[in-house]
Amino acid sequence: MERTVASRLIFLTLSVAVVLSALAYGTVHYWSLAVFTTGAAWVSTLWAIDGWRARELRLSRNALQWSILGLLLVGLIQLLPLGSVALTGGVLDMPRRTLSFDPYATKLALVQIADLLIYFAAALVYLNSPRRLRLIVRVICIFGFLLAFYSLIQSFFSPLKIYWIYEPVLAVPFGPFVNRHHFAGYMEMAIALPLGLLFSGAVPRDKYLLYLTAVAVMGIALIMTGSRGGLIGLIALTALLVVLTRLGRQKKDATVEASKRGRVSGAALRAGLGLILVLLFFVGMVLLGGEGALSKFAGTVNAADPSNGRTHIWSVTLRIIADHPFLGTGLGAYGVTYASYETRNDPLRVERAHNDYLEVLADAGIAGAALGLFFIIKLFRIGSKRRESKDAFRRGVATGALAGCFAVLVHSFFDFTLHTTANALLFLILAALATLNGRVEVERDTQGNKLPLQVRKI
């Protein structure tokens, strides 16, 4: 595949978007969403230029894209004037309303989904070589370490202000994220790549300390958020890594004795890494966070606070789902819909279901849930095949990317982590890393030796 200047700029834009989307408060404010959309438009323009220079429009056949396209179609249907007649104070407000309870929010959600689709589709096309795979993995690992290190410093000296200047209202920030739970979700995905490489034995011995340091700092930062969902996600991440690496295929040309030694050393490595993660919990919670950090985990949910009273929120959400089972009430319309179903006189408005799965069912109905289920099944099915690569680095990346996606999917049972743009982008980048085809693998000859670059099949 010819590599044009436009293709290099697209790869650069993808790398920058991963970083800036997190630094811009997680990209949850209108100004940051505008910048994010501008970046997507820039990628689209470069993509067209690349197609013109290469005399072909490069597209990926990855099936995961169909789920996002399907979600866009659901949102467009929700904007059609197919709803019931709306009355306001006994007066006809409009001839017919849309299926969406909040058409403006649905339009905004469609723009965000379209932006994410552009970044995701571009990643599937332009992460197209072993060198680019290594570069994007390094960007995520190094940035994750630096972000965690900065966030720890901020938590010690200015726990309520982001960058020491901005104090969010009705939220507990951590690092540049307005919501500490969303920072924990980001760390779950960032820490997964170095852990995947370590568990898969894809890290040279002389670099073990670097990777372990990055894992330690990110793990401590995650735990210091006090996010119970984040802790559960970290446990799920570690458990899946152990399972995946135990199921890893041994090299065909290894002797029986060497194979036994490999199994023993691999088991010792997994046990050692697992012990390190357990120690991180106690170090981060007791030595660094003390009683304050422990109380975040041990504290009970305050039912009077709608942002923490998840049981009541979920019960209301289930009523919404029961009344609108097929196409939901509109992408992004959860806040307006919830207000019309709420029976308590709470002073605060509930904007999210604190469960990504229930919110998808409420917003997009069975259609949206089916698309999400298709995405998850395809992700792990294709990713499992990519883990069979002979390229150790490719195998480690696929393992870590799958584990990171799994961790945040588990976390999503308790929070709305993937409704934060930065987290959704990183999740899709990991999904791309887990399912990219053989273009990103280092080819080898029949003896297992790397082929020279000029004779590799791209």
Side-chain angles (χ1 to χ4, degrees):
M1 177 183 287
E2 180 185 355
R3 305 222 177 95
T4 64
V5 173
S7 73
R8 294 186 177 92
L9 289 175
I10 289 174
F11 174 78
L12 177 62
T13 304
L14 290 173
S15 302
V16 172
V18 170
V19 174
L20 292 186
S21 62
L23 295 179
Y25 308 131
T27 310
V28 294
H29 299 95
Y30 284 118
W31 66 266
S32 55
L33 290 171
V35 174
F36 191 75
T37 300
T38 302
W42 169 245
V43 170
S44 300
T45 302
L46 291 172
W47 204 335
I49 294 173
D50 175 67
W52 175 70
R53 293 297 301 271
R55 299 294 187 269
E56 63 173 339
L57 182 61
R58 299 168 179 173
L59 297 172
S60 170
R61 297 181 180 179
N62 193 305
L64 299 182
Q65 299 169 107
W66 294 107
S67 292
I68 307 177
L69 283 170
L71 194 59
L72 285 172
L73 179 60
V74 169
L76 291 173
I77 294 174
Q78 291 172 339
L79 291 176
L80 296 176
L82 302 175
S84 60
V85 176
L87 295 176
T88 302
V91 180
L92 186 65
D93 185 39
M94 53 190 303
R96 293 180 65 85
R97 66 170 176 83
T98 63
L99 293 177
S100 172
F101 277 47
D102 189 349
Y104 174 78
T106 299
K107 292 175 184 177
L108 182 61
L110 286 175
V111 172
Q112 291 177 263
I113 294 170
D115 293 342
L116 290 167
L117 176 60
I118 291 171
Y119 285 112
F120 180 52
L124 291 171
V125 172
Y126 293 102
L127 296 179
N128 55 4
S129 69
R131 182 172 179 271
R132 288 186 177 180
L133 176 66
R134 289 181 178 272
L135 283 175
I136 193 67
V137 169
R138 287 172 184 169
V139 167
I140 295 172
C141 292
I142 294 173
F143 175 67
F145 164 74
L146 294 176
L147 180 65
F149 185 75
Y150 153 73
S151 300
L152 285 172
I153 294 176
Q154 177 181 284
S155 70
F156 293 141
F157 297 102
S158 182
L160 298 179
K161 290 187 177 181
I162 301 176
Y163 303 130
W164 290 275
I165 56 174
Y166 170 54
E167 184 173 353
V169 180
L170 300 176
V172 180
F174 200 91
F177 284 73
V178 174
N179 189 314
R180 61 189 173 91
H181 301 288
H182 298 170
F183 175 87
Y186 196 91
M187 281 294 106
E188 290 164 11
M189 293 182 282
I191 198 176
L193 286 180
L195 276 176
L197 293 170
L198 286 167
F199 271 82
S200 300
V203 177
R205 291 186 181 276
D206 61 333
K207 294 183 180 179
Y208 269 15
L209 185 58
L210 290 175
Y211 279 79
L212 288 174
T213 301
V215 167
V217 174
M218 285 189 276
I220 292 173
L222 189 159
I223 292 168
M224 285 294 294
T225 64
S227 171
R228 284 167 286 195
L231 177 62
I232 294 172
L234 181 60
I235 294 172
L237 164 67
T238 307
L240 184 64
L241 283 174
V242 172
V243 171
L244 290 178
T245 51
R246 282 183 65 85
L247 296 176
R249 187 174 60 181
Q250 298 290 331
K251 293 183 179 180
K252 294 181 179 180
D253 58 346
T255 63
V256 175
E257 184 179 355
S259 179
K260 290 181 179 178
R261 287 199 304 268
R263 286 196 292 269
V264 173
S265 61
L269 176 62
R270 290 190 295 272
L273 289 172
L275 179 61
I276 288 174
L277 291 176
V278 172
L279 290 175
L280 283 177
F281 172 78
F282 290 102
V283 171
M285 295 295 293
V286 180
L287 298 182
L288 297 179
E291 296 180 359
L294 285 172
S295 64
K296 292 179 182 178
F297 286 105
T300 57
V301 174
N302 181 4
D305 183 359
S307 66
N308 289 327
R310 288 175 173 82
T311 303
H312 175 72
I313 294 174
W314 294 345
S315 66
V316 174
T317 305
L318 288 174
R319 297 209 314 269
I320 297 173
I321 295 170
D323 289 347
H324 307 275
F326 300 111
L327 288 175
T329 61
L331 297 175
Y334 181 83
V336 171
T337 308
Y338 184 94
S340 65
Y341 277 79
E342 176 60 279
T343 57
R344 303 189 309 187
N345 295 321
D346 287 314
L348 300 178
R349 171 174 163 171
V350 175
E351 295 287 349
R352 297 296 181 186
H354 293 269
N355 181 310
D356 280 329
Y357 303 99
L358 289 180
E359 189 162 343
V360 167
L361 277 167
D363 284 0
I366 295 174
L371 291 168
L373 183 61
F374 175 82
F375 184 98
I376 293 172
I377 292 174
K378 276 292 184 181
L379 169 63
F380 284 93
R381 180 173 295 179
I382 300 173
S384 297
K385 293 180 180 178
R386 299 297 182 256
R387 290 190 61 254
E388 299 175 359
S389 169
K390 295 180 180 179
D391 182 357
F393 185 81
R394 174 73 182 100
R395 191 166 57 248
V397 169
T399 300
L402 282 179
C405 290
F406 179 71
V408 81
L409 287 172
V410 171
H411 189 174
S412 291
F413 279 104
F414 313 100
D415 285 307
F416 50 101
T417 309
L418 289 178
H419 278 81
T420 300
T421 307
N423 289 10
L425 176 63
L426 183 56
F427 176 82
L428 290 176
I429 294 296
L430 291 186
L433 294 178
T435 58
L436 290 170
N437 60 27
R439 294 172 300 165
V440 296
E441 299 175 7
V442 175
E443 294 194 8
R444 301 174 184 273
D445 59 21
T446 55
Q447 285 75 39
N449 300 316
K450 293 181 181 179
L451 292 173
L453 182 61
Q454 62 268 24
V455 298
R456 290 180 194 159
K457 300 176 182 178
I458 303 298

